[in-house]
Amino acid sequence: MKNALLVTAHPYVESFNFALRTQAIELLHMLDWQVNTSDLYQQGFNPILSPADFPNIPTSVPLSLPKQQEVAHQHALFSNDINSEQSKLLAADLVILQFPLWWGSYPAILKGWIERVLSHGYGYGSNNLLSGKSILLSVTTGGANNEEELEHYQTKIDQLGVDVFAYAKMKVLKAIINHGPSHSNEQQRQTLLERSKQQLVSMVNA
Ligand SMILES: Cc1cc2nc3c(=O)[nH]c(=O)nc-3n(C[C@H](O)[C@H](O)[C@H](O)COP(=O)(O)O)c2cc1C
């Protein structure tokens, strides 16, 4: 049985982002995948990388966050919230990040998840423990007005994935992008959902 981790960064469970999340979980279950979830706002995930990530690290370790992350991984010194996220990632064949585009990028809570969880000596550096896993960015935007803008968003968002996750030697899939759900009516949202479902089906069957 294949395993997916679905990470969602949206404060409202009533949002279109959560509709996409729920649909992806149902679909993957139907296709016989095991699904783990991380709902970052709902679990109160702390996005701030700091020394509190490794409260018991020896004072002899240099005050360098990458070095401290590496030692924390080697000696199991990470805080519980990081351990939990890293374990879910290790179990996953496919990671889906579900989020709205905010200022052209990841919402801060998700950026912080990346900074804290994809740590040096675990995700990159001396170990690439996520190497070969697939990663899919499923993103909503404020809206695109024409072909040129559609293409601009696709290139930009695919690059967001590559910048982080190709560095961790993950396989970055073409992003699924839904434009302007907040000014779409119910019928238009259903059409967007259906199209996203077909895109996800073709990716997991590829
Ligand atoms: C802080 C903030 C920044 C945003 N920045 C962008 C942006 O850079 N580009 C864009 O297309 N939409 C931007 N938006 C619009 C959101 O992407 C849009 O509201 C969201 O994708 C709609 O999905 P939802 O209804 O599930 O929240 C921004 C919204 C907020 C709140």
Side-chain angles (χ1 to χ4, degrees):
M1 185 186 274
K2 289 208 163 184
N3 184 300
L5 171 61
L6 184 40
V7 181
T8 306
H10 200 290
Y12 298 136
V13 296
E14 302 82 3
S15 63
F16 190 73
N17 270 268
F18 259 80
L20 286 163
R21 167 199 180 273
T22 303
Q23 172 171 269
I25 294 171
E26 287 171 3
L27 177 74
L28 289 166
H29 279 157
M30 217 174 67
L31 297 173
D32 230 15
W33 284 59
Q34 192 181 330
V35 184
N36 286 321
T37 52
S38 292
D39 298 324
L40 300 184
Y41 278 92
Q42 289 69 23
Q43 68 196 49
F45 184 80
N46 168 20
I48 299 177
L49 170 62
S50 81
D53 289 5
F54 19 77
N56 300 317
I57 202 158
T59 50
S60 55
V61 178
L63 294 182
S64 148
L65 289 164
K67 183 70 197 161
Q68 289 168 312
Q69 286 185 327
E70 187 168 21
V71 172
H73 174 70
Q74 282 164 350
H75 299 283
L77 292 171
F78 271 127
S79 56
N80 289 338
D81 59 345
I82 295 182
N83 282 332
S84 162
E85 297 303 313
Q86 290 187 336
S87 301
K88 284 188 267 187
L89 273 171
L90 287 181
D93 302 291
L94 167 68
V95 181
I96 301 177
L97 303 183
Q98 179 63 58
F99 63 96
L101 193 70
W102 283 358
W103 291 108
S105 191
Y106 302 98
I109 201 168
L110 179 55
K111 179 63 166 32
W113 180 88
I114 293 167
E115 290 171 11
R116 295 184 65 219
V117 177
L118 264 76
S119 58
H120 187 253
Y122 164 88
Y124 72 101
S126 49
N127 278 312
N128 292 108
L129 300 182
L130 307 177
S131 170
K133 296 177 186 296
S134 297
I135 178 122
L136 169 64
L137 273 54
S138 175
V139 183
T140 61
T141 79
N145 296 314
N146 52 45
E147 276 301 316
E148 201 181 325
E149 283 187 19
L150 288 172
E151 219 177 290
H152 169 77
Y153 273 115
Q154 188 74 51
T155 307
K156 182 186 182 70
I157 292 169
D158 283 336
Q159 192 60 42
L160 281 180
V162 168
D163 285 344
V164 174
F165 298 101
Y167 197 67
K169 301 195 188 306
M170 297 178 77
K171 184 179 168 204
V172 184
L173 305 178
K174 184 177 175 189
I176 295 179
I177 306 174
N178 280 284
H179 295 285
S182 50
H183 25 85
S184 301
N185 62 33
E186 189 48 36
Q187 195 187 346
Q188 289 165 325
R189 284 172 175 236
Q190 286 308 322
T191 305
L192 291 175
L193 280 170
E194 185 55 36
R195 199 198 48 152
S196 300
K197 187 197 271 186
Q198 295 315 323
Q199 286 177 301
L200 185 54
V201 168
S202 64
M203 280 183 200
V204 295
N205 285 335

